[in-house]
């Protein structure tokens, strides 16, 4: 099973000033790489007059897709410390963009690393974070007679229906948190008089309850 991680509930902005340079950081949720790229593009459009719009994102648990962009700052002094801050805090499915307005005083490589990393860290300090816990998608197959009750009970349960497919039988793709995996087949069997099939599928994450 994958490890738990934290993800932003919403987009949060926070600004710091270092030697007259302004560092405006935005951290937001990014469920996919496409969403992260759109977030970065949006910030660059919003602050097109800035000296730099540096970015970093992590998509998926267990340190999945990772990207960092220095946007013209010396290599490794902006995007990398931003990314390292996200990883060190255990944050994923998240994107950070730090917009810099140069204040006329050069910070040096070490100063830039500290400034960009600190900008993301201080923004995370004020960002509402949701814990995402390991889960597994289970496929439940049942006849049409029992499908209606099963669907109603699933929707009232802590389990998350991902898809319902109707054919000769009805198939439910249901995300089940790791802690509930052992009990889930028995729960389904009780509701369906043992007439449902339950097959394990891919690993995912769900918000902790």
């Amino acid at each position: 099973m994958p490890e738990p991680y934290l993800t932003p509930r919403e987009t949060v902005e926070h600004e710091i000033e270092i030697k007259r340079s302004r560092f405006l950081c935005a951290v937001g949720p990014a469920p996919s790489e496409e969403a992260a790229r759109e977030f970065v593009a949006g910030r660059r459009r919003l602050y097109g007059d800035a000296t730099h719009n540096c970015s970093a994102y992590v998509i998926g648990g267990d340190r999945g897709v990772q990207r960092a962009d220095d946007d013209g700052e010396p290599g490794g002094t902006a995007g990398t410390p931003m990314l390292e801050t996200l990883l060190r805090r255990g944050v994923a499915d998240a994107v950070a963009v730090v917009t810099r307005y140069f204040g006329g005083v050069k910070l040096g490589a070490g100063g830039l690393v500290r400034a960009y990393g600190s900008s993301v860290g201080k923004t995370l300090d004020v960002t509402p974070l949701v814990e995402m816990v390991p889960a597994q998608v289970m496929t439940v197959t049942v006849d049409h007679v029992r499908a209606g009750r099963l669907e109603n009970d699933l929707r009232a349960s802590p389990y998350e229906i991902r898809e319902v497919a109707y054919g000769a039988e009805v198939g439910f793709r249901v995300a089940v948190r790791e802690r509930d995996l052992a009990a889930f087949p028995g729960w389904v069997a009780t509701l369906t008089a043992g007439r449902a099939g339950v097959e394990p599928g891919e690993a995912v994450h769900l918000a902790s309850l």
Side-chain angles (χ1 to χ4, degrees), residues 45-69:
R45 287 192 299 269
L46 186 61
Y47 295 104
D49 62 334
T51 315
H52 305 281
N53 284 288
C54 306
S55 60
Y57 56 81
V58 182
I59 309 300
D62 291 336
R63 304 192 173 194
V65 177
Q66 304 174 28
R67 299 285 185 271
D69 182 8

Side-chain angles (χ1 to χ4, degrees), residues 11 30 50 58 61 74 92 95 116 118 123 130 132 141 153 157 165 199-200 208:
T11 298
V58 182
V95 55
Y116 280 99
S118 176
T123 305
V130 179
M132 303 296 290
T141 307
D153 285 353
S157 76
E199 295 292 335
S208 176

